[in-house]
Amino acid sequence: MTDSFADLAGRAARVLPGGVTHAARAYSPPLYVARSEGSHKWLVDGSVLVDYTMGHGALLLGHAHPAVVAAVREQVGRGTHHGANHPLEVQWAEQIVAMVDSVDEVRFTASGTEAAMLALRVARAATGRDVVVKFDGHFHGWSDAVSVNLVDGEPCTATGVPAAQLETTTVLRAGDVEGLRAMLDTGRVAAVVFEGSGAHYGREPLPQGFATTLRAECDRAGALLIIDEVVTGFRVATGGMQSLLGIRPDLSMFGKVMAGGLPGGGLGGRRDLMELLASTIEHPGTFNANPLTASAGIATLVICASGAPQDAAAETAAQLEAGWRDVLQRHGVGGAVWRLVSIIHMRLDDPAAHAALAGRMREEGVDLLHTSAFVSAVHTEDDVAASVAALERALRPSP
Ligand SMILES: Cc1ncc(COP(=O)(O)O)c(C=O)c1O
């Protein structure tokens, strides 16, 4: 039996806050996915979308990649939780260490949010300092310590996060070198944490050279540099955003691609820092290095190690970027289309049109994450053509 969108939304409204499980999934009108494969998802009403949400960026190899499915199938019958060490966790960590230069050791977590929490714990333990510097709009999951941003230029905690958090989390604008130096000069900063892509997976790119400045300033002040590679890790390059930026962070947070589309994350970094987890730092976690996630993560990373999927996704993304940009130009629509490797961002100058864009694109058969698109290695030229045509129709003035 297939439930209609309306039936499901009605039931959801009674048992899920706001009827959803994640704010980014609060589509209006609501829709429900029955099945996903490759670059597409099939909805419960039988219609199909070209998918660019790609598991919130987790699926560089597309939905249900045969190698990932086979690995998970094999593992699920062998047990989903051994409550003990298992061979896959060793292989998974070895694969990550082999791919990311700055990573000597890895500790697995159940999500990117947890990887961020662990990174700050390690940085504070290693330095004996309390303050963490982050940048406005840079997202590191939803834990208290990183849920601080600028509101009207003033540091502000997210709803439900104590104002006291501002005593140990300092938020700066990306590019504010003077503010950064002033904070580091207090001698209280344990770590500077940042999205190497700039905020929102490259929607707001970092000022040129800023990452190198962060590295130099942290070294000068004895603070650790933590890069958030939850989105960018293994997607933008085999060695992550840090390899494109040419910097060597002390700690790196991972999630998404490294977990192969299952729930997971990890912290990687310098051996002396990571070894604190073997001595003074406690980090229990029922689902650390879950075998099922490990099986999907290994299957994914082994394929990604060649760099071929990243290149394929980037090539398709370049075509799509050009196509969408051309549509804006031909229609005389003010806005911009830009790209970080396989992640495309779009902005329409007209605020109402911008706000409506994702919904209009869904009506035309294309699912974006907000107004961004995660292109996978399995999106095709036909997908690009369909997605360009979809934008063309989505921008047509309503009759
Ligand atoms: C840059 C970045 N860091 C951390 C996270 C948190 O990861 P998770 O959702 O797995 O907790 C996200 C999630 O989207 C992210 O985009």
Side-chain angles (χ1 to χ4, degrees), residues 113-308:
T113 294
E114 288 184 24
M117 294 165 77
L118 186 60
L120 303 193
R121 180 76 63 90
V122 170
R124 286 168 166 152
T127 59
R129 303 173 181 177
D130 285 345
V131 173
V132 169
V133 173
K134 78 173 286 282
F135 296 97
D136 184 39
H138 287 216
F139 182 65
H140 309 295
W142 57 270
S143 71
D144 285 3
V146 289
S147 297
V148 179
N149 284 294
L150 298 177
V151 176
D152 297 329
E154 293 300 320
C156 199
T157 55
T159 304
V161 176
Q165 190 65 57
L166 298 175
E167 290 163 23
T168 50
T169 302
T170 295
V171 56
L172 298 174
R173 280 186 210 291
D176 180 2
V177 177
E178 211 173 293
L180 175 73
R181 285 199 181 118
M183 266 319 295
L184 288 171
D185 285 347
T186 63
R188 295 176 57 219
V189 176
V192 175
V193 56
F194 76 118
E195 273 190 78
S197 56
H200 313 295
Y201 30 92
R203 181 160 273 275
E204 299 168 31
L206 290 179
Q208 190 71 28
F210 189 59
T212 313
T213 305
L214 292 181
R215 178 67 279 176
E217 289 298 320
C218 284
D219 285 345
R220 184 182 64 77
L224 300 185
L225 183 61
I226 305 173
I227 192 167
D228 187 331
E229 295 261 25
V230 170
V231 170
T232 52
F234 315 102
R235 168 179 282 277
V236 298
T238 54
M241 195 68 210
Q242 54 196 275
S243 68
L244 301 184
L245 293 168
I247 56 155
R248 194 178 179 85
D250 300 297
L251 295 169
S252 304
M253 312 164 188
F254 299 109
K256 303 206 192 243
V257 172
M258 60 82 80
L262 269 69
L267 180 70
R270 263 170 44 197
R271 192 177 308 282
D272 61 313
L273 300 172
M274 296 302 295
E275 278 295 319
L276 292 172
L277 286 158
S279 54
T280 54
I281 301 175
E282 284 188 29
H283 171 242
T286 301
F287 292 105
N288 293 353
N290 175 258
L292 207 57
T293 304
S295 69
I298 293 166
T300 300
L301 292 180
V302 163
I303 294 171
C304 291
S306 70

Side-chain angles (χ1 to χ4, degrees), residues 20-28 31 41 53 56 139 201 256 358 362 367-371:
V20 295
T21 51
H22 189 302
R25 300 173 196 161
Y27 292 172
S28 176
L31 60 78
K41 48 196 186 197
T53 67
H56 294 221
F139 182 65
Y201 30 92
K256 303 206 192 243
R362 265 193 299 277
D367 198 18
L368 304 174
L369 188 66
H370 306 296
T371 52

Side-chain angles (χ1 to χ4, degrees), residues 86-123:
H86 56 91
L88 292 184
E89 67 195 17
V90 182
Q91 194 186 343
W92 198 14
E94 284 172 344
Q95 188 67 44
I96 292 169
V97 167
M99 290 173 79
V100 186
D101 269 358
S102 67
V103 172
D104 300 323
E105 298 187 4
V106 181
R107 172 56 72 89
F108 293 106
T109 62
S111 66
T113 294
E114 288 184 24
M117 294 165 77
L118 186 60
L120 303 193
R121 180 76 63 90
V122 170

